[in-house]
Amino acid sequence: MRRLGLLFLIGVTIPLSLSAQQRPLTLAEAIAMAARVNPTVVQARGGVRTAGAGVLAAKGAFLPDLSANASGSRTISDGSSFVDPATGETISGGSTSQSVSFGASSRIDLFTGFRRTADLGAANATRDVNEAALSVEEAASALATSRQFYDVLAQGALIGVREASIQREEQKLLIAIAKLSTRSTTISDSLDAVVSLANARLQLLTQQDLLATAEANLGRLVGRDGRVQAADDSSLYRFDFLLDSAALLREAATSAPEVARAEAQARTTRAQLSASKSTYWPTLSLSANTSFSGSQQRNYDLFNQRSLSLGLTWPLFNRFSREQQVVQRKVELETNLARTEDTRRNVLARMASQLSALRTARERIDVTQIGVEAARANVLVQQERYRLGSISILDLGQVQDRLDQAEEAAVNARFDFLRAKAEIEAILGRPLQP
């Protein structure tokens, strides 16, 4: 009896919780922090800026080029005469000459076979591609963070299940010790209860290890070293809101980030095809030039030269290079159009699957909760029956195991619902409003 009591006391004094001591993060905070440090999101955000610069450059093609130049020279002649390169004057030998010149030039394309318009359309479409890609990456980051956040909460909830199991095993051990003291049972019952309690404590330690791993992984996603706790907000567990499945499917088919990216890629290829066809047209350009030059010999009186030219370039035949490029663009366009439709079908299939998973998880929440309540009531009845000696300790252990399984199933059902909801939000690229 004293040995059993000592084992029981040792088990009670073992520390059971090693949770990190810091302020828990809410789901919104975790998603925002992850988006700031996720490398793919950072890269996608940079891609949007780069595409914006591409749009600016495409608009700049409609403006003229402008350049300026300036130079100065000092020439020393020992013998024969020479011509000043700036002024064209002949300088006699054995003299020194200084000269300066400066000027400006400009050039503008008046007509490029609609290439600039096509390039601007391609640049805008590329920016749309990058913006949609950013939305996709942000949604993926939010999904990964939500999954890890819910994993932390689920592991914490399962720790509560393990702790409740330990309490039941402790009660069973107390009953077994009390029955042993009255000689109404054998010591094997008490030993079985001690073993069951030890196993329950090992399961709790294993669950604490899983929680530590989940919190460490959450810390990595949000950019923090070490473990990060998740705030268990009651607003997360709203399971009674209704969703219009047909409306969500229509939204996914038309405006899901993945679909938007695929459509923008098709628009980019179509604009690039138009730009390729522009090479069949001539290019008309206007150039202007003005310069001033002066020298020491002329007291730096400035001599002005101006020119204005209009040029036409029309490549009539370039050994079928244009035809090859046009065919390549057409093939790319056909591929991207097919890829867009495939992406839309894929999004719809995933949305239908997750909506079904959401409904199933919602039903499982009610069913498993009923199972938990029934199992708890059964445990209370069987504990009393064991106390009275009408069942064995093995029978009581089986009933308690079923309660453990029912509580674990209830936890998994809740978080399966939340995970399915997070999947739908990632597909749509926006949170679902209850």
Side-chain angles (χ1 to χ4, degrees), residues 383-398:
Q383 279 182 348
E384 188 61 26
R385 292 185 63 190
Y386 174 67
R387 191 190 309 273
L388 297 176
S390 59
I391 63 171
S392 67
I393 196 170
L394 295 178
D395 295 330
L396 177 59
Q398 291 176 354

Side-chain angles (χ1 to χ4, degrees), residues 370-380 399 402-404 406-407:
I370 294 173
V372 168
E373 294 174 358
R376 285 175 180 169
N378 194 22
V379 166
L380 293 177
V399 174
R402 285 197 289 270
L403 175 55
D404 294 342
E407 290 178 337

